[in-house]
Amino acid sequence: MKQSVNILVSGGGTGGHIYPAIAIANEIKQRYPKANFLFVGAKDRMEMDKVPQAGYEIKGLWISGIQRKLTVKNLLFPFKLLSSLWNARKIIKKFNPDVVIGTGGFASGPTLQMANKKNIPTVVQEQNSYPGITNKLLAKKATTICVAYDGLERFFPRDKIVKTGNPVRQDLLENVGSNEEARQFFKLDSNKKTVLVLGGSLGARAVNRLIESQLSWFNKNDVQLIWQTGKLYFEEYKKHGNDTIQVHAFLNAMNFAYQAADIIVSRAGASSISELCIVSKPVIFIPSPNVAEDHQTKNAMAVVSKNAAILCKESELDKFQDKLETLINDEEKQDELSKNMKKLALPNATNDIVNEIEKLIL
């Protein structure tokens, strides 16, 4: 790989697309300090704040997804697409990238499409077990497709696929800490069971309502709770907080949160699953049904089918208490899930993805 190269990265919309993009850029920067970086995101989305906070320049495109329902916003989509293709072309022409990396999100479609037209090497980093329409289209001309699950040859050209896994936060790999340290950090009782509930950075209404309805069960069974509500719902649920029911908008020390937990309740976003495999704790997945292609359910099933986690669909939340109670009282089942989850972990994902990128610009 040349010491001075231009790396264009596009990914955003959610943390699940942004943080892998930043992790990949950080690894390239560590290996090649003279590399030049430019990110492309969607205007008014969270990447426009998060990427500069990580120390990288970003350009915004006027782009959004198609709404499932018939709305006025959908009428604007053709104009947004044309505008984004035009502006992506201008950005690529000016920056002259050696490689373009797409981690998903609205902006990565037009950006990688224009890079493909100019025959610039492109890398698609597909995080889910079931790819969306955009990545299926981009894959036809992509140079390399880095995936996290088996069986993606159903959607992508087999000879382009490399199974790498999804990048995860470095602190999970380097600074896990002991269970005792983690319990002390949260001021928890080391002799009591602890459940960690994750609703994502913004939060999940159905999950928060479920946990609120179960608070009497947690108190009755003397089970401690670390409850991450997300910023949209914190004000609504913070009133329930006490020593044993801890309510947080965010969890900045995720390594301690994971380590303190005996059982984790989580959505099934691709990045979350990759982290949970490395953490290797018993998990109950509650996939969001409100995402494209229902990919969270498909992600969860890819893990559940290996007997590495338990699934509880939103349509079956009346069964949640039984599933949680059964699991929390069955240490043999907990051990089995943990061991099987660990087998799915791919902790070297970021390094392996960058190895593939290096091959394209040596």
Side-chain angles (χ1 to χ4, degrees):
M1 184 169 173
K2 298 177 290 185
Q3 286 299 310
S4 182
V5 291
N6 293 338
I7 310 291
L8 190 66
V9 187
S10 185
T14 67
H17 295 312
I18 298 164
Y19 297 121
I22 292 171
I24 292 167
N26 287 344
E27 176 64 23
I28 296 173
K29 189 176 183 179
Q30 187 172 341
R31 296 189 196 185
Y32 303 93
K34 292 182 181 178
N36 303 305
F37 294 89
L38 180 63
F39 279 66
V40 178
K43 288 180 179 177
D44 302 323
R45 303 290 290 190
M46 63 188 289
E47 59 265 30
M48 302 308 292
D49 294 322
K50 298 297 182 185
V51 169
Q53 285 171 15
Y56 296 103
E57 182 184 356
I58 187 168
K59 302 283 187 184
L61 302 179
W62 185 46
I63 187 67
S64 61
I66 298 176
Q67 306 294 312
R68 292 187 183 186
K69 299 174 183 176
L70 189 62
T71 67
V72 175
K73 287 184 179 179
N74 281 347
L75 298 176
L76 288 173
F77 180 76
F79 302 101
K80 288 184 176 183
L81 181 59
L82 288 171
S83 167
S84 295
L85 288 167
W86 175 257
N87 284 301
R89 181 175 175 273
K90 286 201 298 183
I91 290 167
I92 288 168
K93 185 175 181 180
K94 184 175 181 181
F95 186 65
N96 192 28
D98 292 280
V99 66
V100 180
I101 305 154
T103 61
F106 302 137
S108 66
T111 305
L112 268 71
Q113 175 74 5
M114 297 315 295
N116 286 334
K117 280 186 175 292
K118 291 183 70 69
N119 295 316
I120 297 167
T122 59
V123 176
V124 171
Q125 199 260 314
E126 175 53 63
Q127 295 146 16
N128 294 296
S129 62
Y130 192 95
I133 295 169
T134 302
N135 276 356
K136 287 179 190 173
L137 293 171
L138 291 172
K140 294 174 183 177
K141 292 193 175 180
T143 316
T144 303
I145 305 163
C146 296
V147 303
Y149 294 91
D150 295 320
L152 272 294
E153 62 275 359
R154 292 177 295 156
F155 311 105
F156 301 142
R158 186 186 296 270
D159 60 334
K160 296 182 179 183
I161 295 174
V162 182
K163 187 179 178 185
T164 58
N166 290 322
V168 299
R169 282 171 282 200
Q170 199 64 23
D171 63 337
L172 294 180
L173 303 174
E174 295 176 348
N175 185 26
V176 174
S178 69
N179 179 270
E180 188 59 38
E181 283 178 294
R183 296 284 176 106
Q184 287 176 4
F185 180 86
F186 285 103
K187 297 181 174 59
L188 295 166
D189 188 331
S190 296
N191 298 312
K192 294 180 180 180
K193 294 285 188 182
T194 301
V195 173
L196 168 65
V197 175
L198 302 172
S201 56
L202 295 178
R205 179 171 291 281
V207 173
N208 285 327
R209 283 178 171 171
L210 168 70
I211 298 306
E212 184 180 42
S213 73
Q214 300 297 316
L215 292 179
S216 60
W217 181 90
F218 281 96
N219 289 320
K220 178 182 160 188
N221 290 275
D222 215 15
V223 175
Q224 299 170 130
L225 176 64
I226 303 173
W227 179 10
Q228 187 251 317
T229 62
K231 69 176 185 179
L232 294 181
Y233 303 104
F234 177 68
E235 292 299 322
E236 184 178 348
Y237 295 104
K238 67 180 182 181
K239 63 189 177 188
H240 298 299
N242 55 46
D243 289 344
T244 58
I245 306 291
Q246 297 195 11
V247 186
H248 303 266
F250 300 102
L251 289 167
N252 293 320
M254 279 304 303
N255 52 330
F256 280 142
Y258 284 137
Q259 193 59 33
D262 294 294
I263 290 170
I264 298 169
V265 179
S266 175
R267 286 303 207 189
S271 293
S272 296
I273 289 180
S274 295
E275 289 187 357
L276 291 167
C277 287
I278 289 169
V279 172
S280 303
K281 292 288 182 84
V283 178
I284 299 176
F285 284 121
I286 305 176
S288 170
N290 306 313
V291 293
E293 315 281 355
D294 195 22
H295 67 246
Q296 283 207 7
T297 300
K298 295 180 174 81
N299 290 346
M301 284 306 303
V303 180
V304 172
S305 65
K306 302 278 176 59
N307 195 26
I310 290 170
L311 178 68
C312 187
K313 294 182 179 180
E314 273 199 16
S315 58
E316 300 172 344
L317 290 182
D318 57 319
K319 300 176 183 176
F320 172 80
Q321 188 183 110
D322 287 341
K323 292 187 179 192
L324 177 59
E325 190 162 2
T326 300
L327 181 59
I328 213 162
N329 292 317
D330 189 344
E331 293 196 0
E332 191 174 318
K333 182 65 173 178
Q334 291 175 37
D335 289 341
E336 181 184 22
L337 293 177
S338 294
K339 287 175 183 174
N340 290 337
M341 187 71 106
K342 196 171 188 65
K343 292 175 187 175
L344 302 177
L346 295 165
N348 298 316
T350 308
N351 185 66
D352 292 345
I353 290 166
V354 174
N355 287 344
E356 294 302 317
I357 292 166
E358 277 189 313
K359 294 175 185 178
L360 303 179
I361 43 183
L362 283 171

